[in-house]
Amino acid sequence: MVNSDIADFLQLGFFRLIAAISILLMGLVVGRFLGKLIERILNELELDEVLKKHLGIKIPLEHLIGNIVKFIVYTIAIFLALNQLGLTTRLLYIILIIIFVILIIFIVFALKDFIPNVVAGFLIYQRKIVEIGDVIKTDSIKGKVIEISFIETRIKTKSNDIIVVPNVFLVKNLLTKKEKKLKRVNSK
């Protein structure tokens, strides 16, 4: 009777282990497939090119989003496998909460400079604070505006140096602006 209970327990444990390994393997396959699929879809939509062209953002977002999807599927597979083994406890939920809190903190710190620059870039476009061709002067910079994106503005100095200025700097600091000079065309 005792041997029968031990044999049943071991057999049940063996099947749970096989199921957990199967879940992990399926999670790896599905995660890799979904990650590459999302990356290809975003590549077809030319997400990186659109962000680079319209917003001046040079981040490989297609690859990043594909990897995020892949690791989310991996994490779900790990938790399902641990659940199959009977290891789903409060400790696993606490670990998951800690991972999400760390991820949120990382995202907030990564975007803390990005969001104000995009807002400032929008204000520059909307209010036409600075336009391409304007000669501007601040306490530390003087030159001609040669490019404006949503994140930064490029200024060419008299010595032909290109200075990249965050848009927040242009919005927050006192700015002297000379309009671009119009060339007169004499008609004869």
Side-chain angles (χ1 to χ4, degrees):
M1 179 114 30
V2 173
N3 287 339
S4 174
D5 290 338
I6 292 174
D8 289 341
F9 176 75
L10 289 176
Q11 189 176 17
L12 182 63
F14 177 73
F15 287 127
R16 284 187 172 191
L17 181 63
I18 295 297
I21 291 172
S22 299
I23 290 170
L24 281 176
L25 291 176
M26 287 298 294
L28 289 174
V29 170
V30 171
R32 182 172 287 164
F33 173 76
L34 282 179
K36 289 190 183 282
L37 178 68
I38 296 293
E39 190 172 339
R40 283 185 183 153
I41 289 171
L42 293 175
N43 191 357
E44 287 294 320
L45 296 174
E46 297 179 347
L47 178 67
D48 287 347
E49 293 299 319
V50 169
L51 290 175
K52 184 177 178 183
K53 182 179 177 183
H54 294 290
L55 298 178
I57 302 171
K58 299 173 186 171
I59 300 173
L61 208 54
E62 298 165 359
H63 184 68
L64 179 67
I65 292 172
N67 278 340
I68 289 171
V69 168
K70 179 172 57 174
F71 286 115
I72 287 172
V73 172
Y74 288 171
T75 304
I76 291 170
I78 289 170
F79 278 100
L80 289 174
L82 291 174
N83 186 25
Q84 186 64 33
L85 292 173
L87 297 176
T88 305
T89 62
R90 289 183 185 162
L91 181 61
L92 290 176
Y93 292 125
I94 291 171
I95 290 171
L96 184 61
I97 290 170
I98 290 171
I99 289 171
F100 282 128
V101 167
I102 290 172
L103 184 62
I104 289 170
I105 290 171
F106 174 74
I107 290 171
V108 166
F109 279 124
L111 295 178
K112 75 178 178 72
D113 290 332
F114 175 76
I115 292 173
N117 277 318
V118 170
V119 171
F122 179 74
L123 288 174
I124 288 172
Y125 276 117
Q126 186 70 23
R127 296 183 182 170
K128 298 188 179 195
I129 297 171
V130 176
E131 293 179 318
I132 294 175
D134 288 349
V135 176
I136 61 170
K137 179 181 178 187
T138 66
D139 292 337
S140 57
I141 300 170
K142 181 179 180 183
K144 181 178 180 180
V145 176
I146 59 171
E147 181 183 341
I148 302 171
S149 71
F150 274 108
I151 298 172
E152 62 195 20
T153 300
R154 295 180 187 272
I155 301 170
K156 188 174 189 177
T157 63
K158 283 186 179 181
S159 60
N160 287 330
D161 292 331
I162 305 290
I163 300 173
V164 179
V165 180
N167 286 336
V168 170
F169 178 82
L170 295 177
V171 172
K172 285 185 176 181
N173 290 308
L174 184 61
L175 186 65
T176 305
K177 172 178 148 181
K178 293 182 182 178
E179 298 290 326
K180 41 187 161 180
K181 296 178 182 177
L182 298 175
K183 293 182 180 179
R184 294 184 184 219
V185 178
N186 293 334
S187 59
K188 291 185 181 182

Short mmCIF file of all heavy atoms in Angstrom, two decimals, residues 51-106:
data_model
loop_
_atom_site.label_atom_id
_atom_site.label_comp_id
_atom_site.label_asym_id
_atom_site.label_seq_id
_atom_site.Cartn_x
_atom_site.Cartn_y
_atom_site.Cartn_z
N LEU A 51 9.77 56.74 -37.86
CA LEU A 51 10.21 57.47 -36.67
C LEU A 51 11.44 58.31 -36.96
O LEU A 51 11.55 59.44 -36.49
CB LEU A 51 10.50 56.49 -35.53
CG LEU A 51 9.29 55.80 -34.92
CD1 LEU A 51 9.73 54.78 -33.89
CD2 LEU A 51 8.35 56.81 -34.30
N LYS A 52 12.35 57.77 -37.76
CA LYS A 52 13.57 58.50 -38.09
C LYS A 52 13.26 59.72 -38.96
O LYS A 52 13.78 60.81 -38.74
CB LYS A 52 14.55 57.57 -38.81
CG LYS A 52 15.88 58.19 -39.11
CD LYS A 52 16.79 57.16 -39.77
CE LYS A 52 18.12 57.73 -40.13
NZ LYS A 52 18.96 56.74 -40.82
N LYS A 53 12.36 59.53 -39.94
CA LYS A 53 12.06 60.59 -40.89
C LYS A 53 11.22 61.70 -40.26
O LYS A 53 11.50 62.88 -40.42
CB LYS A 53 11.32 60.01 -42.09
CG LYS A 53 10.99 61.02 -43.16
CD LYS A 53 10.28 60.36 -44.32
CE LYS A 53 9.88 61.36 -45.37
NZ LYS A 53 9.13 60.72 -46.46
N HIS A 54 10.17 61.33 -39.54
CA HIS A 54 9.22 62.33 -39.05
C HIS A 54 9.54 62.86 -37.66
O HIS A 54 9.20 63.99 -37.34
CB HIS A 54 7.80 61.76 -39.06
CG HIS A 54 7.31 61.47 -40.45
ND1 HIS A 54 7.01 62.47 -41.34
CD2 HIS A 54 7.09 60.31 -41.09
CE1 HIS A 54 6.62 61.93 -42.48
NE2 HIS A 54 6.65 60.61 -42.35
N LEU A 55 10.13 62.03 -36.82
CA LEU A 55 10.39 62.48 -35.45
C LEU A 55 11.87 62.61 -35.14
O LEU A 55 12.23 63.09 -34.08
CB LEU A 55 9.76 61.50 -34.45
CG LEU A 55 8.24 61.35 -34.51
CD1 LEU A 55 7.78 60.33 -33.51
CD2 LEU A 55 7.56 62.68 -34.26
N GLY A 56 12.73 62.16 -36.03
CA GLY A 56 14.16 62.25 -35.78
C GLY A 56 14.65 61.24 -34.77
O GLY A 56 15.72 61.39 -34.22
N ILE A 57 13.87 60.19 -34.53
CA ILE A 57 14.23 59.16 -33.54
C ILE A 57 14.99 58.06 -34.25
O ILE A 57 14.51 57.48 -35.21
CB ILE A 57 12.97 58.59 -32.87
CG1 ILE A 57 12.19 59.71 -32.19
CG2 ILE A 57 13.34 57.51 -31.88
CD1 ILE A 57 10.83 59.26 -31.69
N LYS A 58 16.17 57.76 -33.76
CA LYS A 58 17.00 56.73 -34.38
C LYS A 58 17.14 55.53 -33.43
O LYS A 58 18.23 55.16 -33.06
CB LYS A 58 18.35 57.31 -34.74
CG LYS A 58 18.28 58.45 -35.72
CD LYS A 58 19.60 59.13 -35.94
CE LYS A 58 19.42 60.34 -36.82
NZ LYS A 58 20.62 61.14 -36.89
N ILE A 59 16.01 54.95 -33.07
CA ILE A 59 15.98 53.81 -32.17
C ILE A 59 15.48 52.61 -32.95
O ILE A 59 14.48 52.71 -33.65
CB ILE A 59 15.04 54.07 -30.97
CG1 ILE A 59 15.50 55.29 -30.19
CG2 ILE A 59 14.96 52.86 -30.07
CD1 ILE A 59 14.53 55.71 -29.11
N PRO A 60 16.15 51.44 -32.85
CA PRO A 60 15.65 50.25 -33.54
C PRO A 60 14.42 49.69 -32.82
O PRO A 60 14.47 48.66 -32.17
CB PRO A 60 16.83 49.28 -33.50
CG PRO A 60 17.60 49.69 -32.29
CD PRO A 60 17.41 51.19 -32.17
N LEU A 61 13.31 50.39 -32.94
CA LEU A 61 12.09 50.05 -32.21
C LEU A 61 11.48 48.74 -32.68
O LEU A 61 10.88 48.03 -31.89
CB LEU A 61 11.09 51.20 -32.34
CG LEU A 61 10.09 51.37 -31.20
CD1 LEU A 61 10.81 51.50 -29.88
CD2 LEU A 61 9.21 52.57 -31.44
N GLU A 62 11.64 48.41 -33.96
CA GLU A 62 11.10 47.15 -34.48
C GLU A 62 11.71 45.98 -33.72
O GLU A 62 10.99 45.09 -33.25
CB GLU A 62 11.42 47.01 -35.97
CG GLU A 62 10.81 48.08 -36.84
CD GLU A 62 11.43 48.12 -38.23
OE1 GLU A 62 12.35 47.34 -38.54
OE2 GLU A 62 10.97 48.95 -39.03
N HIS A 63 13.01 45.98 -33.59
CA HIS A 63 13.72 44.90 -32.90
C HIS A 63 13.38 44.90 -31.40
O HIS A 63 13.18 43.84 -30.81
CB HIS A 63 15.22 45.07 -33.12
CG HIS A 63 16.04 43.98 -32.54
ND1 HIS A 63 16.02 42.69 -33.02
CD2 HIS A 63 16.90 43.97 -31.50
CE1 HIS A 63 16.83 41.95 -32.30
NE2 HIS A 63 17.39 42.69 -31.37
N LEU A 64 13.30 46.08 -30.82
CA LEU A 64 13.01 46.20 -29.39
C LEU A 64 11.62 45.65 -29.07
O LEU A 64 11.46 44.87 -28.13
CB LEU A 64 13.10 47.66 -28.96
CG LEU A 64 12.79 47.97 -27.50
CD1 LEU A 64 13.85 47.36 -26.60
CD2 LEU A 64 12.69 49.46 -27.28
N ILE A 65 10.61 46.02 -29.85
CA ILE A 65 9.25 45.53 -29.60
C ILE A 65 9.18 44.03 -29.82
O ILE A 65 8.52 43.31 -29.06
CB ILE A 65 8.24 46.29 -30.48
CG1 ILE A 65 8.15 47.74 -30.03
CG2 ILE A 65 6.86 45.64 -30.41
CD1 ILE A 65 7.32 48.63 -30.93
N GLY A 66 9.87 43.52 -30.85
CA GLY A 66 9.91 42.07 -31.09
C GLY A 66 10.51 41.33 -29.91
O GLY A 66 9.99 40.28 -29.48
N ASN A 67 11.59 41.87 -29.35
CA ASN A 67 12.21 41.24 -28.18
C ASN A 67 11.32 41.31 -26.95
O ASN A 67 11.28 40.37 -26.15
CB ASN A 67 13.57 41.88 -27.88
CG ASN A 67 14.66 41.33 -28.74
OD1 ASN A 67 14.54 40.24 -29.31
ND2 ASN A 67 15.73 42.08 -28.88
N ILE A 68 10.62 42.41 -26.76
CA ILE A 68 9.72 42.53 -25.61
C ILE A 68 8.62 41.48 -25.69
O ILE A 68 8.33 40.80 -24.71
CB ILE A 68 9.13 43.96 -25.53
CG1 ILE A 68 10.22 44.95 -25.10
CG2 ILE A 68 7.96 44.01 -24.56
CD1 ILE A 68 9.81 46.40 -25.18
N VAL A 69 8.03 41.31 -26.89
CA VAL A 69 6.98 40.30 -27.06
C VAL A 69 7.55 38.91 -26.78
O VAL A 69 6.94 38.10 -26.08
CB VAL A 69 6.39 40.37 -28.49
CG1 VAL A 69 5.53 39.16 -28.79
CG2 VAL A 69 5.59 41.64 -28.67
N LYS A 70 8.75 38.64 -27.29
CA LYS A 70 9.38 37.34 -27.09
C LYS A 70 9.60 37.05 -25.60
O LYS A 70 9.25 35.98 -25.11
CB LYS A 70 10.72 37.31 -27.84
CG LYS A 70 11.49 36.02 -27.69
CD LYS A 70 12.70 35.94 -28.59
CE LYS A 70 13.68 37.06 -28.41
NZ LYS A 70 14.92 36.90 -29.20
N PHE A 71 10.10 38.03 -24.86
CA PHE A 71 10.38 37.80 -23.45
C PHE A 71 9.11 37.75 -22.60
O PHE A 71 9.08 37.09 -21.57
CB PHE A 71 11.38 38.84 -22.91
CG PHE A 71 12.77 38.57 -23.41
CD1 PHE A 71 13.41 39.47 -24.24
CD2 PHE A 71 13.44 37.41 -23.08
CE1 PHE A 71 14.68 39.23 -24.71
CE2 PHE A 71 14.71 37.14 -23.55
CZ PHE A 71 15.34 38.06 -24.36
N ILE A 72 8.06 38.41 -23.03
CA ILE A 72 6.78 38.28 -22.32
C ILE A 72 6.26 36.86 -22.46
O ILE A 72 5.81 36.25 -21.48
CB ILE A 72 5.76 39.31 -22.84
CG1 ILE A 72 6.13 40.72 -22.34
CG2 ILE A 72 4.34 38.96 -22.39
CD1 ILE A 72 5.30 41.83 -22.93
N VAL A 73 6.35 36.30 -23.66
CA VAL A 73 5.91 34.91 -23.87
C VAL A 73 6.80 33.96 -23.06
O VAL A 73 6.29 33.01 -22.46
CB VAL A 73 5.91 34.55 -25.38
CG1 VAL A 73 5.64 33.07 -25.59
CG2 VAL A 73 4.89 35.39 -26.12
N TYR A 74 8.11 34.20 -23.04
CA TYR A 74 9.01 33.36 -22.23
C TYR A 74 8.60 33.39 -20.76
O TYR A 74 8.56 32.36 -20.09
CB TYR A 74 10.45 33.84 -22.37
CG TYR A 74 11.13 33.58 -23.69
CD1 TYR A 74 12.37 34.14 -23.96
CD2 TYR A 74 10.55 32.79 -24.68
CE1 TYR A 74 13.01 33.91 -25.16
CE2 TYR A 74 11.19 32.56 -25.89
CZ TYR A 74 12.42 33.12 -26.12
OH TYR A 74 13.06 32.91 -27.30
N THR A 75 8.33 34.59 -20.26
CA THR A 75 7.96 34.73 -18.85
C THR A 75 6.66 33.99 -18.55
O THR A 75 6.55 33.30 -17.53
CB THR A 75 7.81 36.23 -18.49
OG1 THR A 75 9.03 36.90 -18.79
CG2 THR A 75 7.49 36.41 -17.03
N ILE A 76 5.68 34.11 -19.43
CA ILE A 76 4.41 33.40 -19.23
C ILE A 76 4.65 31.89 -19.23
O ILE A 76 4.09 31.16 -18.40
CB ILE A 76 3.39 33.82 -20.32
CG1 ILE A 76 2.96 35.27 -20.10
CG2 ILE A 76 2.17 32.90 -20.31
CD1 ILE A 76 2.15 35.85 -21.24
N ALA A 77 5.50 31.41 -20.15
CA ALA A 77 5.80 29.98 -20.22
C ALA A 77 6.48 29.50 -18.94
O ALA A 77 6.15 28.41 -18.43
CB ALA A 77 6.67 29.68 -21.43
N ILE A 78 7.39 30.29 -18.41
CA ILE A 78 8.07 29.91 -17.16
C ILE A 78 7.07 29.81 -16.02
O ILE A 78 7.08 28.84 -15.25
CB ILE A 78 9.20 30.90 -16.84
CG1 ILE A 78 10.36 30.72 -17.83
CG2 ILE A 78 9.69 30.73 -15.41
CD1 ILE A 78 11.41 31.81 -17.76
N PHE A 79 6.18 30.77 -15.91
CA PHE A 79 5.19 30.74 -14.83
C PHE A 79 4.21 29.59 -15.00
O PHE A 79 3.83 28.95 -14.02
CB PHE A 79 4.46 32.08 -14.71
CG PHE A 79 5.23 33.09 -13.93
CD1 PHE A 79 5.96 34.07 -14.58
CD2 PHE A 79 5.26 33.05 -12.55
CE1 PHE A 79 6.70 34.99 -13.85
CE2 PHE A 79 5.99 33.97 -11.82
CZ PHE A 79 6.72 34.94 -12.47
N LEU A 80 3.82 29.30 -16.23
CA LEU A 80 2.93 28.15 -16.46
C LEU A 80 3.63 26.83 -16.12
O LEU A 80 3.01 25.92 -15.54
CB LEU A 80 2.43 28.14 -17.90
CG LEU A 80 1.42 29.21 -18.28
CD1 LEU A 80 1.12 29.17 -19.77
CD2 LEU A 80 0.15 29.07 -17.47
N ALA A 81 4.91 26.72 -16.47
CA ALA A 81 5.67 25.51 -16.15
C ALA A 81 5.82 25.34 -14.64
O ALA A 81 5.66 24.24 -14.10
CB ALA A 81 7.03 25.55 -16.83
N LEU A 82 6.12 26.44 -13.96
CA LEU A 82 6.24 26.36 -12.49
C LEU A 82 4.90 26.03 -11.86
O LEU A 82 4.84 25.29 -10.87
CB LEU A 82 6.79 27.68 -11.93
CG LEU A 82 8.26 27.96 -12.27
CD1 LEU A 82 8.65 29.35 -11.79
CD2 LEU A 82 9.17 26.91 -11.66
N ASN A 83 3.83 26.55 -12.42
CA ASN A 83 2.49 26.23 -11.93
C ASN A 83 2.20 24.74 -12.13
O ASN A 83 1.61 24.09 -11.25
CB ASN A 83 1.45 27.08 -12.67
CG ASN A 83 0.06 26.90 -12.09
OD1 ASN A 83 -0.10 26.55 -10.93
ND2 ASN A 83 -0.94 27.14 -12.91
N GLN A 84 2.62 24.18 -13.25
CA GLN A 84 2.43 22.75 -13.52
C GLN A 84 3.17 21.91 -12.50
O GLN A 84 2.70 20.84 -12.11
CB GLN A 84 2.90 22.43 -14.94
CG GLN A 84 2.63 21.03 -15.37
CD GLN A 84 1.14 20.74 -15.46
OE1 GLN A 84 0.34 21.59 -15.78
NE2 GLN A 84 0.77 19.51 -15.15
N LEU A 85 4.30 22.39 -12.05
CA LEU A 85 5.07 21.66 -11.03
C LEU A 85 4.54 21.90 -9.63
O LEU A 85 5.04 21.32 -8.67
CB LEU A 85 6.55 22.06 -11.10
CG LEU A 85 7.30 21.63 -12.35
CD1 LEU A 85 8.69 22.23 -12.37
CD2 LEU A 85 7.36 20.12 -12.45
N GLY A 86 3.57 22.78 -9.50
CA GLY A 86 3.00 23.06 -8.19
C GLY A 86 3.80 24.08 -7.40
O GLY A 86 3.71 24.15 -6.18
N LEU A 87 4.58 24.89 -8.09
CA LEU A 87 5.43 25.87 -7.41
C LEU A 87 4.87 27.29 -7.46
O LEU A 87 5.56 28.25 -7.18
CB LEU A 87 6.83 25.87 -8.02
CG LEU A 87 7.61 24.57 -7.89
CD1 LEU A 87 8.92 24.67 -8.62
CD2 LEU A 87 7.84 24.22 -6.42
N THR A 88 3.61 27.44 -7.87
CA THR A 88 3.01 28.76 -7.90
C THR A 88 2.70 29.16 -6.47
O THR A 88 1.80 28.64 -5.84
CB THR A 88 1.72 28.75 -8.74
OG1 THR A 88 2.04 28.24 -10.02
CG2 THR A 88 1.17 30.14 -8.89
N THR A 89 3.46 30.08 -5.98
CA THR A 89 3.27 30.56 -4.62
C THR A 89 3.26 32.08 -4.63
O THR A 89 3.47 32.72 -5.66
CB THR A 89 4.40 30.07 -3.70
OG1 THR A 89 5.63 30.60 -4.17
CG2 THR A 89 4.47 28.55 -3.66
N ARG A 90 3.06 32.61 -3.49
CA ARG A 90 3.09 34.08 -3.37
C ARG A 90 4.46 34.62 -3.75
O ARG A 90 4.58 35.73 -4.26
CB ARG A 90 2.73 34.48 -1.95
CG ARG A 90 1.29 34.27 -1.63
CD ARG A 90 0.97 34.76 -0.26
NE ARG A 90 -0.41 34.40 0.04
CZ ARG A 90 -0.91 34.36 1.23
NH1 ARG A 90 -0.17 34.67 2.26
NH2 ARG A 90 -2.17 34.03 1.40
N LEU A 91 5.50 33.84 -3.49
CA LEU A 91 6.85 34.29 -3.82
C LEU A 91 6.99 34.56 -5.32
O LEU A 91 7.60 35.56 -5.72
CB LEU A 91 7.87 33.24 -3.37
CG LEU A 91 9.34 33.58 -3.62
CD1 LEU A 91 9.72 34.84 -2.86
CD2 LEU A 91 10.22 32.43 -3.23
N LEU A 92 6.43 33.69 -6.16
CA LEU A 92 6.50 33.92 -7.60
C LEU A 92 5.75 35.17 -8.01
O LEU A 92 6.21 35.92 -8.88
CB LEU A 92 5.95 32.70 -8.35
CG LEU A 92 6.80 31.44 -8.27
CD1 LEU A 92 6.10 30.29 -8.96
CD2 LEU A 92 8.16 31.68 -8.88
N TYR A 93 4.61 35.41 -7.39
CA TYR A 93 3.86 36.63 -7.69
C TYR A 93 4.62 37.87 -7.23
O TYR A 93 4.61 38.89 -7.91
CB TYR A 93 2.47 36.58 -7.06
CG TYR A 93 1.58 35.54 -7.68
CD1 TYR A 93 0.97 34.57 -6.91
CD2 TYR A 93 1.35 35.53 -9.05
CE1 TYR A 93 0.16 33.60 -7.48
CE2 TYR A 93 0.54 34.58 -9.64
CZ TYR A 93 -0.06 33.61 -8.85
OH TYR A 93 -0.85 32.66 -9.42
N ILE A 94 5.28 37.77 -6.11
CA ILE A 94 6.09 38.90 -5.63
C ILE A 94 7.23 39.17 -6.60
O ILE A 94 7.53 40.33 -6.93
CB ILE A 94 6.60 38.63 -4.19
CG1 ILE A 94 5.43 38.66 -3.22
CG2 ILE A 94 7.67 39.63 -3.80
CD1 ILE A 94 5.78 38.19 -1.82
N ILE A 95 7.88 38.12 -7.08
CA ILE A 95 8.98 38.29 -8.04
C ILE A 95 8.46 38.94 -9.32
O ILE A 95 9.09 39.85 -9.87
CB ILE A 95 9.64 36.93 -8.35
CG1 ILE A 95 10.42 36.44 -7.13
CG2 ILE A 95 10.57 37.04 -9.56
CD1 ILE A 95 10.93 35.02 -7.24
N LEU A 96 7.29 38.50 -9.78
CA LEU A 96 6.70 39.09 -10.98
C LEU A 96 6.40 40.57 -10.78
O LEU A 96 6.69 41.40 -11.64
CB LEU A 96 5.42 38.34 -11.36
CG LEU A 96 4.74 38.78 -12.64
CD1 LEU A 96 5.65 38.59 -13.84
CD2 LEU A 96 3.44 38.04 -12.84
N ILE A 97 5.86 40.94 -9.63
CA ILE A 97 5.56 42.34 -9.33
C ILE A 97 6.85 43.16 -9.28
O ILE A 97 6.91 44.26 -9.82
CB ILE A 97 4.77 42.45 -8.01
CG1 ILE A 97 3.35 41.90 -8.22
CG2 ILE A 97 4.72 43.89 -7.51
CD1 ILE A 97 2.56 41.73 -6.94
N ILE A 98 7.89 42.61 -8.68
CA ILE A 98 9.17 43.31 -8.61
C ILE A 98 9.75 43.53 -10.01
O ILE A 98 10.24 44.62 -10.33
CB ILE A 98 10.18 42.54 -7.71
CG1 ILE A 98 9.74 42.63 -6.25
CG2 ILE A 98 11.59 43.06 -7.89
CD1 ILE A 98 10.52 41.74 -5.31
N ILE A 99 9.65 42.52 -10.86
CA ILE A 99 10.14 42.67 -12.24
C ILE A 99 9.38 43.77 -12.97
O ILE A 99 9.99 44.60 -13.66
CB ILE A 99 10.04 41.32 -12.99
CG1 ILE A 99 11.08 40.34 -12.45
CG2 ILE A 99 10.23 41.51 -14.50
CD1 ILE A 99 10.91 38.93 -12.97
N PHE A 100 8.05 43.79 -12.83
CA PHE A 100 7.27 44.83 -13.50
C PHE A 100 7.57 46.22 -12.94
O PHE A 100 7.62 47.19 -13.69
CB PHE A 100 5.77 44.53 -13.43
CG PHE A 100 5.34 43.48 -14.42
CD1 PHE A 100 4.63 42.38 -14.01
CD2 PHE A 100 5.64 43.61 -15.76
CE1 PHE A 100 4.22 41.41 -14.92
CE2 PHE A 100 5.23 42.66 -16.69
CZ PHE A 100 4.53 41.55 -16.25
N VAL A 101 7.78 46.34 -11.65
CA VAL A 101 8.12 47.64 -11.05
C VAL A 101 9.47 48.12 -11.58
O VAL A 101 9.62 49.28 -11.96
CB VAL A 101 8.10 47.56 -9.51
CG1 VAL A 101 8.76 48.78 -8.88
CG2 VAL A 101 6.68 47.39 -8.99
N ILE A 102 10.44 47.22 -11.65
CA ILE A 102 11.75 47.59 -12.18
C ILE A 102 11.64 47.99 -13.65
O ILE A 102 12.25 48.97 -14.08
CB ILE A 102 12.76 46.43 -11.99
CG1 ILE A 102 13.09 46.27 -10.51
CG2 ILE A 102 14.02 46.65 -12.81
CD1 ILE A 102 13.90 45.04 -10.19
N LEU A 103 10.83 47.27 -14.40
CA LEU A 103 10.62 47.60 -15.82
C LEU A 103 9.97 48.97 -15.97
O LEU A 103 10.40 49.77 -16.81
CB LEU A 103 9.75 46.53 -16.48
CG LEU A 103 9.52 46.66 -17.97
CD1 LEU A 103 10.83 46.56 -18.74
CD2 LEU A 103 8.55 45.59 -18.44
N ILE A 104 8.98 49.27 -15.16
CA ILE A 104 8.32 50.58 -15.22
C ILE A 104 9.28 51.70 -14.85
O ILE A 104 9.32 52.73 -15.50
CB ILE A 104 7.06 50.58 -14.32
CG1 ILE A 104 5.98 49.70 -14.95
CG2 ILE A 104 6.55 51.99 -14.11
CD1 ILE A 104 4.81 49.43 -14.05
N ILE A 105 10.08 51.48 -13.81
CA ILE A 105 11.07 52.49 -13.40
C ILE A 105 12.07 52.71 -14.54
O ILE A 105 12.43 53.86 -14.85
CB ILE A 105 11.78 52.07 -12.10
CG1 ILE A 105 10.80 52.16 -10.93
CG2 ILE A 105 13.02 52.91 -11.84
CD1 ILE A 105 11.33 51.57 -9.63
N PHE A 106 12.53 51.63 -15.18
CA PHE A 106 13.46 51.75 -16.29
C PHE A 106 12.85 52.56 -17.44
O PHE A 106 13.50 53.44 -18.00
CB PHE A 106 13.86 50.35 -16.78
CG PHE A 106 14.71 50.37 -18.01
CD1 PHE A 106 16.04 50.74 -17.95
CD2 PHE A 106 14.18 50.02 -19.25
CE1 PHE A 106 16.83 50.77 -19.09
CE2 PHE A 106 14.95 50.04 -20.39
CZ PHE A 106 16.27 50.42 -20.31
#
